[in-house]
Amino acid sequence: MLATCVIQLIDMIQVRIQLGQGSAGEVTKTMLKNEGIGAFYKGLSAGLLRQATYTTARLGTFRILTNKALEANDGKPLPLYQKALCGLTAGAIGACVGSPADLALIRMQADATLPAAQRRNYTNAFHALYRITADEGVLALWKGAGPTVVRAMALNMGMLASYDQSVEFFKDNLGFGEGATILGASSVSGFFAAACSLPFDYVKTQIQKMQPDAQGKYPYTGSLDCAMKTLKAGGPFKFYTGFPVYCVRIAPHVMGVFGITC
């Protein structure tokens, strides 16, 4: 949650880039001009709720799984593939728990990009969850849960596995101290987490923010339809829209999470 307070403004810029609002500089300039500095922290309550549910579940599950694997391995360091499997499982469990808060976060961040008549105007995360349940039903809280789970699995495989592997390399092979090890491992982990998860994050954002047209038809029928239409319209690199900003967003978050948990 502390890490989220640091990277929330970067997360907001990244979401707006994915929604086609322009480059990082253009988004920042437009938001400052039209919405003010406070707009960068719109959805912070949902971001904090997301970390309290999703990150708590995935980090707790990851450590439980790796500890069990260590016991089965007689205390020897785990190979990379076992860490990756633990990361995949922890990511899936965490995403299922945190999907409602993630939906609220995306909608709150994207609200200002919609025409005034279509804005939802959620005041905070709990108001968003209440409105979603009242207007669309309880199951709507898990709208976009498919790409959310896949994205979390990819992110956790990239982040948690590469972080542990990097810590072993920096500490044991290069002899780095604790601070330098966390910084180096976080940077490596952030890059791999971003590279593995951004395509799924892009699809997730499009699915969670979409609204029906005047005939009640949604622009996408599901995650696969969104992915195919995106691929056809913009090619494979369209999924990596905002990659530098996404890396900048992920790395400080990894440092915050593991700096605190270490």
Side-chain angles (χ1 to χ4, degrees):
M1 292 171 75
L2 288 171
T4 292
C5 291
V6 175
I7 59 91
Q8 176 69 16
L9 76 166
I10 303 173
D11 188 47
M12 171 64 88
I13 294 170
Q14 183 246 328
V15 168
R16 294 289 180 92
I17 290 172
Q18 288 183 333
L19 296 177
Q21 299 296 301
S23 67
E26 291 169 341
V27 168
T28 303
K29 184 179 179 180
T30 302
M31 288 183 66
L32 284 172
K33 181 180 178 180
N34 299 336
E35 304 171 58
I37 190 69
F40 290 97
Y41 281 88
K42 190 169 186 178
L44 179 60
S45 62
L48 294 174
L49 180 61
R50 179 178 179 272
Q51 297 306 329
T53 52
Y54 162 65
T55 301
T56 298
R58 73 185 172 100
L59 289 180
T61 303
F62 181 71
R63 287 306 170 198
I64 290 171
L65 293 174
T66 52
N67 287 340
K68 292 290 184 182
L70 280 169
E71 290 178 12
N73 205 32
D74 298 324
K76 297 177 184 177
L78 299 179
L80 182 60
Y81 82 91
Q82 288 188 2
K83 294 174 185 175
L85 287 174
C86 291
L88 284 169
T89 306
I93 293 171
C96 289
V97 174
S99 189
D102 190 63
L103 175 63
L105 174 62
I106 293 297
R107 288 193 175 183
M108 291 178 75
Q109 289 179 324
D111 208 38
T113 66
L114 299 172
Q118 296 181 18
R119 293 177 186 175
R120 299 177 173 98
N121 296 316
Y122 300 143
T123 56
N124 56 59
F126 296 105
H127 179 235
L129 297 179
Y130 170 76
R131 282 274 307 280
I132 292 169
T133 303
D135 297 344
E136 305 170 50
V138 175
L139 293 181
L141 291 171
W142 280 269
K143 183 176 287 186
T148 299
V149 169
V150 176
R151 177 242 186 210
M153 292 172 69
L155 186 145
N156 279 272
M157 180 182 72
M159 182 175 80
L160 298 176
S162 65
Y163 181 84
D164 274 14
Q165 198 72 20
S166 298
V167 165
E168 291 175 10
F169 176 76
F170 285 119
K171 186 178 290 185
D172 299 337
N173 292 36
L174 301 181
F176 282 15
E178 183 176 349
T181 295
I182 292 174
L183 181 63
S186 297
S187 300
V188 173
S189 178
F191 175 82
F192 281 104
C196 290
S197 66
L198 185 54
F200 305 107
D201 189 77
Y202 182 90
V203 173
K204 173 186 75 72
T205 299
Q206 307 307 313
I207 293 293
Q208 289 180 329
K209 73 93 181 179
M210 67 178 181
Q211 284 193 336
D213 58 20
Q215 287 74 42
K217 185 178 180 181
Y218 284 96
Y220 309 112
T221 58
S223 302
L224 183 59
D225 182 51
C226 177
M228 294 307 296
K229 287 181 177 177
T230 301
L231 184 64
K232 185 177 180 180
F237 290 109
K238 183 67 174 178
F239 294 104
Y240 282 92
T241 299
F243 182 72
V245 177
Y246 193 63
C247 283
V248 172
R249 171 196 172 232
I250 291 290
H253 186 72
V254 176
M255 292 176 196
V257 169
F258 288 108
I260 292 166
T261 56
C262 286

